[in-house]
Amino acid sequence: MDNKILPPRRLSTAPMLDWSDRHYRYMARQISRYTWLYSEMINAGAIIYGDKDRFLMRNECENPVALQLGGSEPSDLARAAKAAEEYGYDEVNLNCGCPSPRVQKGAFGACLMNEVGLVADCLRAMQDTVQIDVTVKHRIGVDRQTEYSVVQDFVGTLAAKTSCKTFIVHARNAWLDGLSPKENREVPPLKYDYVYQLKRDFPELEIIINGGITRNDEIAGHLEHVDGVMVGREAYHNPMVMREWDRLFYGGMENHIEYADLVELLFHYSKQQIQAGRGTILRHMVRHYLGLMHGLKGARTWRRMLSDAALLKDNNGELILDAWKEVKKANDWA
């Protein structure tokens, strides 16, 4: 997809550590043509000093696609952003929201909300290096900072000091101590009104809301107040929720994909990836497909077959077709 005709960020899948890799993104792109896809967070240093292909490889069909970077060293982030641009990503997103101890040790993620000057330096360094958009994803506060002014000052300062126009806001605080990363996604209360207020206070900015959103009617409700909605866990565990997004939120006229057609595409993709000889095995791909049959009869059989170590050991994508036959049988489909 040409950068000049990228769709708006009305809908996007969230950057999800260990989940939103290129195999998940390939599947998601078959379900929605226009939704923005975000990579899992990649440490800038890993890209600079490690195997670029391993961290940046993507499928040609993925665009519009964004790479999320973790880091707090402006020059490293600039080099990693340049590599992302060269690999064909449409956006680089700086993580200022992850609360995990591993990230805190590196002094980035949610810690950066307390270092707005450093964040501005990081964004400017990337913006000076690449032509693609540089965006930021953050929380509404850190630990017990509960006042709206915290996130208002963070966004306002970055808007004044950088040319960043897109802010993706997870509408919860990040607790740096006392909660696990999983609890950080569930325990701090959601304050959607703070994100709505950001859009009112900064109408010239693109404000995207994230956190706890699972249904299409909720998405429609949020879009009355903000520019875009980012969906994480629901788009992963129930990926067919994305099947109506093109029609509902982008005015797409194309028919949504049928289960049988999607299964066929995933089978051929698995075959091609295994044959490519880069060490990809069937389990790397099908782990992302477990939620595909959510709500259908036979969904449990589908999940069981695609996570059965004995069945996976042959590394044969035919397993996807075999599991699909069981779903068809359970639903009395010819």
Side-chain angles (χ1 to χ4, degrees), residues 287-306:
R287 70 189 183 98
H288 301 302
Y289 308 162
L290 299 183
L292 258 183
M293 303 300 155
H294 180 83
L296 296 181
K297 293 174 188 170
R300 186 177 296 175
T301 304
W302 167 270
R303 289 195 303 272
R304 180 181 56 73
M305 290 180 70
L306 294 189

Side-chain angles (χ1 to χ4, degrees), residues 136-149:
V136 60
K137 186 171 190 288
H138 57 93
R139 299 281 186 130
I140 55 172
V142 174
D143 294 324
R144 283 158 182 79
Q145 301 169 337
T146 56
E147 307 82 9
Y148 167 70
S149 60

Side-chain angles (χ1 to χ4, degrees), residues 158-196:
L158 294 179
K161 291 190 169 183
T162 76
S163 55
C164 185
K165 295 287 179 223
T166 301
F167 293 80
I168 303 167
V169 192
H170 187 155
R172 302 181 198 270
N173 273 42
W175 289 18
L176 301 180
D177 192 27
L179 290 182
S180 71
K182 181 178 185 296
E183 289 169 330
N184 255 294
R185 292 192 297 269
E186 297 166 355
V187 174
L190 284 160
K191 297 183 178 177
Y192 294 138
D193 55 315
Y194 279 21
V195 189
Y196 297 169

